Structure formats: C-alpha cells, structure tokens
Amino acid sequence: MSSEQAIVSPQFVSIAQQRDAARLGIWAFLITEVMFFGGMFCGYAIYRHAYPDAFAAGSHKLNVVLGTINTAVLIGSSFTMALAVRAAQHGTERPRAGKFARARNSQGRRQSLLLLATVAAGALFLGIKTFEYYTDYTEHLVPGSHFQFAATWLPQVELFFVLYFAMTGLHAVHMAIGMGVILVLVMRQAFGHPPRDNYAAIEVTGLYWHFVDVIWIFLFPLLYLV
C-alpha cells in the first residue's frame, strides 16, 4: 500500500477526491459564516446610513492606533498560516530515497513552528483587543446603565457601541476557536499522532483562519475609520 493510499478514508477512492470533499465542506461552512457576518454588516450599514454623525462620533472614541496594529498582526498571522500550509504540502511530497524520515521530521517541525507563530499572533491580537475593551469600560463606553456620552447623540452612539462589541466580540470568538483548532493540530503532531491526512487538515484550518482575518479587514475600516 502506498503512503497516499494509507491516508485515504474508505469512503473515498483517491486522495484527490478526499481533499476535494474536505475543501467543499469548509467552503460550504464559510458560506454560512459569510451569511452570518453579512447580516451584521447589513445592519451596521443601515444604521450607519441613518445616523452618520452619531456613528462618526462613536468611531472617534476608538483607538485607531491599536486597531491598525491589530490589522498588521492579523495580516502577519495569515502569512505564517500560509507558510504552514505550504510546509504541510511539502511534507506530503515524497523526498529522495534515504532522506525520507529526516526530511519529514524537518517539515513537521517547521509546520509546527509556523502554526505556533500563527497562534502567538492570534493571542497578541486578542490581548490588544482585551486592552481596548478595558479602556472602553473605564471610559464608560460599554452599552448599559453606565454608558456615558454627549446627550445629543446618546442613544445613537450607544447603538454604535452595541454593534461594535457584537461584531468584534463574535470575531474574537471565531479567532479563539481557530487558535484552539491550530493548537490541537500542533499537539497531535508533537505527540506523534497527526491527522490521517495532515495536509488536508491544515489546509482546511488555514482557509478558516484566512476567512477570520478577512472579516477583520472589513471590520477595521467600518468601525475605526468612518
């Protein structure tokens, strides 16, 4: 049995079919995510059009510098994730005879390091975001009984912050889930039990991670730069 046949599940006839099914599954899932976030983006756009001055006033209370740093951090994490996928792809290629084990171990270590770098970038992003939330709390910008702002636009600015916390909070939850999945992949690699089709698992995780990054690329200008 060849190395490729060994990682093909019984319901598939080839490794190509198995990976096509994995890609189809993650894209179907991401389409549902697009619809999920799309609803929030539409809601934001409607209220932004209805209350442009109030939303601009609320946006000016956000820390653009930290938002910009977080954007750069996420772009960097997408880069390391793409390199991890590439390393996993190289790990599936058959090296020259006599160098198989050494080359595979080297690609495995490189892949794990790149995945850990991606998780580290995600943790940095969430750390900065938590600091932003704390600053918003101390400035009484969290919607609720303690929310404070100029009386002229109080309800509309509070609505802006409701959408801000909802959208960035859900994005943070998606990031935490992605970091958890990546850590599971790293742990399985470290303990010598990588997924049956390691490349497909990392490729699918990479697509999810890139999607979460793209969501932030839309959130940043909408919330911070209006």
Side-chain angles (χ1 to χ4, degrees):
M1 179 181 292
S2 69
S3 58
E4 285 193 356
Q5 289 173 326
I7 62 176
V8 177
S9 298
Q11 65 270 32
F12 299 108
V13 296
S14 66
I15 187 67
Q17 186 190 46
Q18 179 172 284
R19 289 176 178 170
D20 285 344
R23 294 185 187 107
L24 178 63
I26 188 62
W27 278 113
F29 171 72
L30 293 181
I31 288 172
T32 66
E33 290 287 282
V34 167
M35 292 189 288
F36 176 69
F37 278 99
M40 289 194 295
F41 280 119
C42 286
Y44 178 87
I46 291 170
Y47 285 115
R48 171 72 176 82
H49 179 73
Y51 312 115
D53 294 334
F55 270 47
S59 175
H60 290 163
K61 300 296 290 185
L62 301 180
N63 193 320
V64 178
V65 174
L66 292 181
T68 303
I69 293 173
N70 259 350
T71 302
V73 168
L74 277 195
I75 291 173
S77 76
S78 266
F79 180 66
T80 55
M81 190 72 222
L83 291 178
V85 173
R86 183 62 177 162
Q89 185 180 30
H90 278 291
T92 64
E93 296 172 355
R94 185 186 295 276
R96 287 178 293 181
K99 297 184 178 179
F100 179 76
R102 188 175 58 187
R104 188 165 186 173
N105 289 337
S106 174
Q107 289 298 337
R109 284 195 297 273
R110 175 179 167 79
Q111 166 198 303
S112 295
L113 288 174
L114 289 166
L115 289 175
L116 287 175
T118 304
V119 172
L124 177 60
F125 176 94
L126 292 180
I128 293 173
K129 200 68 218 162
T130 302
F131 177 75
E132 278 193 82
Y133 285 163
Y134 174 74
T135 304
D136 295 335
Y137 173 77
T138 58
E139 294 180 358
H140 302 282
L141 294 175
V142 178
S145 58
H146 298 289
F147 186 81
Q148 295 179 6
F149 202 81
T152 308
W153 290 321
L154 179 61
Q156 294 83 1
V157 174
E158 188 172 17
L159 175 62
F160 169 83
F161 277 98
V162 167
L163 293 170
Y164 163 76
F165 281 106
M167 297 168 84
T168 58
L170 284 170
H171 175 262
V173 169
H174 279 73
M175 281 203 66
I177 292 171
M179 291 166 61
V181 172
I182 293 172
L183 283 176
V184 169
L185 291 174
V186 173
M187 294 291 288
R188 292 189 63 171
Q189 183 78 30
F191 287 101
H193 301 290
R196 191 169 184 172
D197 188 351
N198 186 57
Y199 170 61
I202 294 180
E203 182 187 38
V204 165
T205 305
L207 286 171
Y208 173 83
W209 189 263
H210 294 319
F211 169 79
V212 174
D213 288 357
V214 168
I215 290 296
W216 177 258
I217 296 299
F218 282 96
L219 286 176
F220 174 62
L222 282 176
L223 297 172
Y224 289 78
L225 304 179
V226 293

